[in-house]
Amino acid sequence: MSLGPVRAVFEHRPVPPLRLLATALLASAVLATGSPALASPPAPDDTRQEAAVLGEDHARAHAGRRQAADAMRAYPQSRRTAGLASLRASQRRLNAGFAAPRFGRFTDYFPSPDFGVHVAQLPTGKVLLFSFERVEVDPTKETGPTDRIGRTNAGRAYLWDPAKGTGAQAFKKVPPPTVLMPDGTYVPRPAPFFCAGHSYLPNGMVGVFGGNGGGKGGTGARLSFVFDPWTETWFRNRDMAVGRWYPSVVTGADGRQLIMSGQDERGSGHPTPLVERFPARGHRVPWGPYDIPAGVPAERFAADAPFRNDYPHLFSLRDGMIYGLGRDADQQWVFDPVKETRTDLPRRPADFRGYGSAVPLPAGLRGPDSVLVLGGDPLDASTYRLAGGAWSADTPRAFGRTQDDTLILPDATLLTVNGAVDTRNYGYGPFNPKADLKYRRIELRDALGRWRLGPAQRLPRGYHSNALVMPDGRVMITGDELQQIANDPDIADGMDGSIELYEPPYLHRGTRPALDRAPRGELAYDAEFPVRTSTPADVARAVLLAPTTVTHAVNTSQRHLDLRVTATRGDTVTLRTPPTAADAPPGYYMLFLLNAEGVPSTAQWIKLGPRPGGADGSRWWAPPGAGYSKRAVSPAP
């Protein structure tokens, strides 16, 4: 819903005279009641007259506002306010029994201008959130413009700067480029890039591919963008070969991105098997902050990926291969990014798994060589591990849940937040904001693989929920537009999303080590580098944690590696980078120092890349025995 013209009247901003004619009725209702809830829709003749005066587009927009006013009557502000108060009370009651040093604690809860359907932790310390403009404020109906054609099918994006706090001043609007979609209307609107796929490029930019073309239950868009965190600007690239709605994207050891799956332009039920690579060979991998891809094409990858269902989990593991783990048990594959081949993996033990999380498990000083698949089935709490090309059952969680997000924390433990029974079903049927309390509870997995239930987050978050680890070690939780709208403390203020912060147990176990300085330049692989700390005696470990960019419980960027500590002299600790780019793909990482209790410092950002001018530059990313072809592959042809 947008009340722009009405707010403009209240704020004494100029409004085009013709718009005043169509908004007078709504404005008078707001003045009388303090909300648009009592505004009455005009008769059909009035609608036709409005279209004749203002034009079809403006009349349609005003009709949408009147529809929103009707929705406010059906789901009034008082119900939203009461719902949030009830959630706050139940959270307080349950969480009083959990000790923070063992279970962590939830702290801040605050409004956001975006739903956070997609989020990315940027190397600037800021967080990118993007989603769609809502078309409905009644949470018992579809909020997003999935089936909309034209102007209302639009995207939006914001930056949250934690250094500026949690108020409205901490958010900055960074709208996507205006596009003309091939939907028959060719109406310009902010790009509808929601339900896209994304991962990081080596220069810290976020590549975003696909989106929603509108209609047919959701159609794939061919859109291709990067978000530049350094200039805080979006750049458009050449369209992909095929539309993708709900694709997955992963960054390989060579710094290029592979894009798989997603419903094509024919709409829901038509996933594309075509795999594309960005940037195409012959175009440089963007290494530096000034190397901005704009107008760059993708190219077709030789092997197809015929996933029957969207948003497969993709991972680049230490052997340099790309693992594609589909939702269907029989669609588990490994892709060779050099030979461009696809090979079958064994069938996963579990049957179909819907939206659930998967993480590459920490493996010490080397990159991950196994993946843990969790969630996706509310009736099955089992977890399954893929290692050495074989599946095995791992320790189950307390109960089955879908729409969950599982994160690797700096101390190598795992955290699960969010969850539901099914898409927009939290235990009492679809599109019912009432939720079973258990889906609000976190689960923690220790170093021995044992899970334990913990405290509850305030808001139930299922479909479109997200979470990420911040450089200060806290966890940001957001997403799920249904619950955010259903519990909005002021649905008319433009801040229709929300963010909650969680402090893991390690933030309640004493003083944190200090990481005062880390190198700013690019670090080569298998090389020593110094860091400064005012607490050298407290440093027991050093780890790299890759930043998260996530949507729909799909997080292809997570990675945790220990770094070898080679020397400590005074306030200088010398560390060694990972052996190869297959262990840690090129790009930005959060570097944490930890004490013996697993308490992390606040992170500093470091960047891994090819050895500048090194004799091994042509093969810097290929690990021994990885199955690569003998031809040299330059990281920046």
Side-chain angles (χ1 to χ4, degrees):
M1 182 181 71
S2 173
L3 298 176
V6 177
R7 289 200 190 98
V9 173
F10 297 158
E11 297 167 7
H12 307 291
R13 292 185 282 110
V15 182
L18 289 178
R19 298 189 74 181
L20 289 175
L21 173 65
T23 60
L25 179 62
L26 184 56
S28 63
V30 174
L31 288 170
T33 67
S35 78
L38 298 182
S40 300
D45 287 345
D46 295 331
T47 302
R48 286 192 292 270
Q49 291 174 11
E50 189 177 90
V53 174
L54 300 179
E56 291 290 342
D57 288 341
H58 282 171
R60 189 179 300 111
H62 296 155
R65 281 190 284 274
R66 289 190 292 271
Q67 183 182 32
D70 289 340
M72 285 291 290
R73 283 196 294 272
Y75 207 94
Q77 179 62 57
S78 59
R79 187 173 177 185
R80 304 171 206 269
T81 304
L84 184 58
S86 176
L87 292 172
R88 184 187 301 112
S90 60
Q91 180 189 37
R92 185 184 300 115
R93 286 194 300 270
L94 177 68
N95 292 358
F98 290 94
R102 177 168 166 75
F103 295 98
R105 70 172 184 179
F106 287 90
T107 57
D108 303 73
Y109 179 91
F110 53 96
S112 164
D114 191 71
F115 297 129
V117 174
H118 306 260
V119 297
Q121 174 65 64
L122 303 176
T124 59
K126 300 178 183 179
V127 178
L128 174 68
L129 306 95
F130 63 98
S131 62
F132 47 75
E133 293 290 350
R134 68 188 186 195
V135 296
E136 178 61 68
V137 295
D138 184 344
T140 64
K141 299 179 180 179
E142 177 58 58
T143 303
T146 298
D147 267 328
R148 300 295 182 99
I149 298 293
R151 191 186 306 278
T152 56
N153 183 25
R156 66 183 186 187
Y158 290 83
L159 286 174
W160 173 45
D161 185 355
K164 293 184 178 179
T166 58
Q169 77 286 346
F171 294 90
K172 174 184 176 181
K173 191 171 186 178
V174 285
T178 297
V179 298
L180 293 173
M181 296 297 294
D183 57 7
T185 67
Y186 294 94
V187 175
R189 89 292 299 265
F193 56 4
F194 55 92
C195 299
H198 32 88
S199 69
Y200 296 99
L201 288 162
N203 61 356
M205 297 180 187
V206 183
V208 177
F209 304 93
N212 182 269
K216 301 179 182 178
T219 57
R222 300 190 181 196
L223 299 169
S224 172
F225 301 101
V226 295
F227 181 77
D228 177 5
W230 315 111
T231 63
E232 299 181 349
T233 305
W234 292 92
F235 293 92
R236 187 173 182 180
N237 283 290
R238 296 260 297 275
D239 284 355
M240 294 182 293
V242 63
R244 298 180 188 271
W245 183 58
Y246 287 53
S248 294
V249 185
V250 67
T251 303
D254 61 352
R256 299 183 190 272
Q257 297 170 308
L258 284 184
I259 310 155
M260 300 188 195
S261 193
Q263 311 298 312
D264 65 20
E265 293 95 330
R266 293 172 295 174
S268 185
H270 296 278
T272 177
L274 187 73
V275 179
E276 295 183 74
R277 177 170 47 206
F278 180 87
R281 297 284 185 186
H283 293 265
R284 291 181 58 84
V285 172
W287 298 108
Y290 301 106
D291 192 1
I292 301 172
V296 175
E299 66 180 353
R300 180 163 183 173
F301 189 79
D304 283 345
F307 290 105
R308 286 189 293 271
N309 284 280
D310 46 38
Y311 275 137
H313 293 291
L314 304 180
F315 297 102
S316 176
L317 298 188
R318 78 158 68 153
D319 60 2
M321 301 292 106
I322 303 298
Y323 287 75
L325 309 181
R327 303 189 182 280
D328 294 279
D330 63 336
Q331 293 201 300
Q332 315 295 312
W333 294 309
V334 59
F335 299 83
D336 187 318
V338 174
K339 295 180 180 179
E340 301 188 30
T341 57
R342 184 186 83 238
T343 304
D344 290 339
L345 288 168
R347 180 187 178 96
R348 189 186 60 225
D351 290 327
F352 178 80
R353 287 295 183 104
Y355 295 122
S357 52
V359 295
L361 290 172
L365 299 171
R366 296 294 306 276
D369 59 0
S370 66
V371 174
L372 188 65
V373 175
L374 315 95
D377 186 343
L379 302 179
D380 185 1
S382 302
T383 67
Y384 297 95
R385 182 171 180 168
L386 175 68
W391 290 96
S392 61
D394 207 85
T395 307
R397 293 187 296 189
F399 53 85
R401 62 171 101 188
T402 68
Q403 324 297 332
D404 58 291
D405 294 275
T406 300
L407 297 171
I408 310 173
L409 299 179
D411 63 355
T413 61
L414 302 185
L415 165 70
T416 291
V417 298
N418 304 323
V421 176
D422 202 347
T423 304
R424 298 189 176 90
N425 183 340
Y426 312 85
Y428 296 91
F431 291 98
N432 182 346
K434 186 178 180 183
D436 189 325
L437 177 61
K438 72 179 184 181
Y439 296 112
R440 294 161 57 197
R441 296 185 63 180
I442 68 166
E443 286 191 71
L444 292 158
R445 182 181 186 267
D446 64 20
L448 299 177
R450 299 171 301 193
W451 292 94
R452 65 182 186 274
L453 276 173
Q457 58 200 69
R458 182 163 306 175
L459 211 64
R461 298 184 194 264
Y463 191 53
H464 292 164
S465 63
N466 291 306
L468 55 80
V469 179
M470 300 164 60
D472 62 8
R474 293 180 297 172
V475 173
M476 168 191 165
I477 302 166
T478 188
D480 191 332
E481 66 279 0
L482 183 155
Q483 290 292 347
Q484 292 176 96
I485 286 177
N487 298 284
D488 193 322
D490 185 355
I491 194 64
D493 68 356
M495 299 285 280
D496 51 10
S498 64
I499 292 171
E500 187 164 12
L501 300 181
Y502 168 74
E503 295 177 348
Y506 51 63
L507 293 181
H508 299 273
R509 293 176 181 165
T511 304
R512 306 177 69 170
L515 175 53
D516 302 314
R517 184 180 303 173
R520 297 295 184 188
E522 192 170 273
L523 299 175
Y525 288 94
D526 199 23
E528 291 187 340
F529 68 99
V531 298
R532 299 282 296 276
T533 171
S534 56
T535 59
D538 292 339
V539 177
R541 296 172 62 193
V543 303
L544 293 184
L545 191 69
T548 279
T549 179
V550 60
T551 185
H552 291 74
V554 174
N555 185 337
T556 68
S557 64
Q558 288 199 89
R559 212 173 198 87
H560 180 287
L561 296 99
D562 279 86
L563 298 183
R564 193 179 303 278
V565 179
T566 61
T568 300
R569 294 184 179 88
D571 63 356
T572 300
V573 177
T574 303
L575 308 174
R576 180 171 288 275
T577 57
T580 71
D583 292 290
Y588 286 86
Y589 290 80
M590 294 180 284
L591 169 64
F592 293 91
L593 300 180
L594 290 81
N595 66 19
E597 299 298 319
V599 179
S601 66
T602 295
Q604 295 273 358
W605 290 92
I606 69 165
K607 185 186 180 189
L608 298 177
R611 187 183 302 276
D616 60 346
S618 65
R619 298 222 12 170
W620 62 273
W621 62 279
Y628 289 98
S629 63
K630 294 182 179 180
R631 63 186 176 89
V633 180
S634 170

